[in-house]
Amino acid sequence: MILTKKEIFYIAENTDVFDNQNALSLLSSMSDKPDGTEHGDLDAKGILNKEGYDPLIIENLKIVAKPDHVSRLMLNNGFSRVERYTYRKEDQLILVEVNSEGLKFSQPGSIRDSVLSLSVYLGLSPITYTSFNLSLTKDEGLLLATIVDIYRKSELAAYLGEKKELTPLSLVEIENELTGESKVGLLSILKETYGFEPLSPDLIETTSESLIEKELLLNKDGLLLNGMLSMFAKSFLIPNCFVTFDTFSVISDEEIGYVGNICVAAGLHSLVMFSYDGAALEITTLSSIALFKKIEEYLQGPKLEKR
């Protein structure tokens, strides 16, 4: 069943379905207004007749009007875009898929098939080239992403015949990269996704000392990535697919909980996921199969507890 935004607003105006909507209501994330063609269009779709609206569409819209959880999935690889939502109310789950015709509503017994369909963009593999799971402050994460980007650029230059040995990095080199205008790389992703601001020179120094203590950086008269991180940086060359997935949950009448992630892919076996909760920044490499399992958990609508 597919409805346009105008048709949804028409139904909202002519029924009581959205009268008691909450902050997570489908309408809270949309804006549009009927243009007068909706009655005929809904009739042609078999959703509206002389006896009223199809009971199934009313049931679906009541769930998306006042859900307990809303989960969102968005994928973008530069030429394709996938946008899907799940709305859960108690044990009822509605899948809403955005396409060129409007919003497609369904009540799937399982959302696994919907998640696995992403394999056409990300592959289906249990393998990851490197393996690590880091819990950092935002400053540590920002500095580490900056150094990874420097390594990435050096490795990419090698493919152009401009290879030069990567020497230990000075704080000035790191500051120049951190404050630069590059729009491609992990640093720009963190800035744009979470609004992180560049670090001051003093903060770069103290943060680098923290990363050395955590054995993520080496101090060799300058800074180098340690072990697995160096391998990661040299293999994670061109980010080409971005996946965001997050969940909003009603915790109380006054509080909405939120958990969100962004995953970036630079090849079949090179995926990294970021998750920031306002305190810790989690950075994890994972396989596409592991990513799909995590997305499935989110789309099922995990319960968020008040801290």
Side-chain angles (χ1 to χ4, degrees):
M1 175 182 57
I2 298 176
L3 294 173
T4 67
K5 292 181 180 180
K6 294 181 185 296
E7 290 167 350
I8 294 171
F9 276 94
Y10 177 85
I11 294 173
E13 290 181 1
N14 291 277
T15 69
D16 62 357
V17 171
F18 287 92
D19 286 359
N20 295 313
Q21 64 181 318
N22 64 16
L24 297 182
S25 167
L26 173 65
L27 293 190
S28 68
S29 61
M30 298 194 320
S31 61
D32 213 329
K33 59 182 181 180
D35 61 12
T37 63
E38 291 76 23
H39 189 285
D41 292 340
L42 291 170
D43 180 68
K45 291 179 178 181
I47 293 173
L48 176 61
N49 55 46
K50 61 182 180 179
E51 296 179 357
Y53 289 92
D54 181 341
L56 180 59
I57 185 60
I58 296 301
E59 178 186 347
N60 287 347
L61 291 179
K62 284 183 177 179
I63 295 171
V64 303
K66 196 175 182 180
D68 299 321
H69 312 277
V70 177
S71 296
R72 172 176 58 183
L73 165 68
M74 301 181 74
L75 179 148
N76 193 328
N77 65 359
F79 59 88
S80 296
R81 180 182 174 89
V82 175
E83 187 175 354
R84 297 171 186 165
Y85 300 82
T86 56
Y87 292 78
R88 176 176 286 282
K89 186 173 180 62
E90 297 176 351
D91 62 346
Q92 295 177 293
L93 183 71
I94 300 296
L95 173 65
V96 179
E97 303 173 82
V98 179
N99 60 33
S100 59
E101 299 177 52
L103 280 68
K104 179 182 178 182
F105 292 77
S106 60
Q107 293 189 29
S110 168
I111 58 166
R112 182 160 299 172
D113 289 345
S114 180
V115 174
L116 289 179
S117 69
L118 301 177
S119 63
V120 298
Y121 306 103
L122 294 164
L124 191 63
S125 173
I127 299 171
T128 180
Y129 185 68
T130 55
S131 179
F132 58 81
N133 184 0
L134 307 176
S135 181
L136 306 172
T137 67
K138 69 177 183 64
D139 292 341
E140 290 170 342
L142 200 60
L143 185 61
L144 200 61
T146 303
I147 298 174
V148 166
D149 279 351
I150 294 174
Y151 270 65
R152 289 178 49 254
K153 290 179 179 180
S154 175
E155 196 69 17
L156 283 168
Y159 287 91
L160 300 176
E162 301 173 5
K163 181 68 174 178
K164 62 178 181 179
E165 184 178 355
L166 186 64
T167 57
L169 303 171
S170 69
L171 296 181
V172 172
E173 289 177 285
I174 295 171
E175 182 184 3
N176 289 340
E177 180 71 22
L178 184 57
T179 57
E181 298 298 324
S182 176
K183 298 297 183 182
V184 179
L186 298 184
L187 175 61
S188 65
I189 290 169
L190 291 181
K191 286 181 177 179
E192 293 173 10
T193 303
Y194 300 117
F196 291 169
E197 296 292 336
L199 308 180
S200 67
D202 288 344
L203 198 51
I204 291 174
E205 183 173 2
T206 56
T207 304
S208 65
E209 291 170 355
S210 174
L211 291 173
I212 291 170
E213 290 179 5
K214 293 183 176 182
E215 299 183 346
L216 301 177
L217 294 182
L218 298 173
N219 188 353
K220 300 288 187 180
D221 294 325
L223 299 176
L224 293 170
L225 291 173
N226 197 2
M228 188 68 71
L229 288 173
S230 178
M231 292 175 58
F232 167 75
K234 292 177 180 179
S235 63
F236 197 89
L237 298 182
I238 303 177
N240 55 25
C241 190
F242 304 86
V243 183
T244 59
F245 55 103
D246 43 23
T247 292
F248 303 82
S249 288
V250 176
I251 294 177
S252 69
D253 290 341
E254 295 80 27
E255 184 176 4
I256 300 297
Y258 172 80
V259 178
N261 308 269
I262 179 169
C263 183
V264 187
L268 177 60
H269 301 135
S270 295
L271 286 77
V272 63
M273 185 175 71
F274 301 95
S275 179
Y276 181 59
D277 63 3
L281 176 67
E282 305 285 339
I283 306 177
T284 306
T285 54
L286 71 173
S287 68
S288 56
I289 287 181
L291 173 64
F292 296 153
K293 288 180 179 178
K294 194 165 186 68
I295 291 174
E296 183 178 3
E297 291 173 2
Y298 268 70
L299 292 184
Q300 288 290 352
K303 181 66 175 178
L304 301 179
E305 301 294 340
K306 185 173 182 178
R307 293 186 176 185

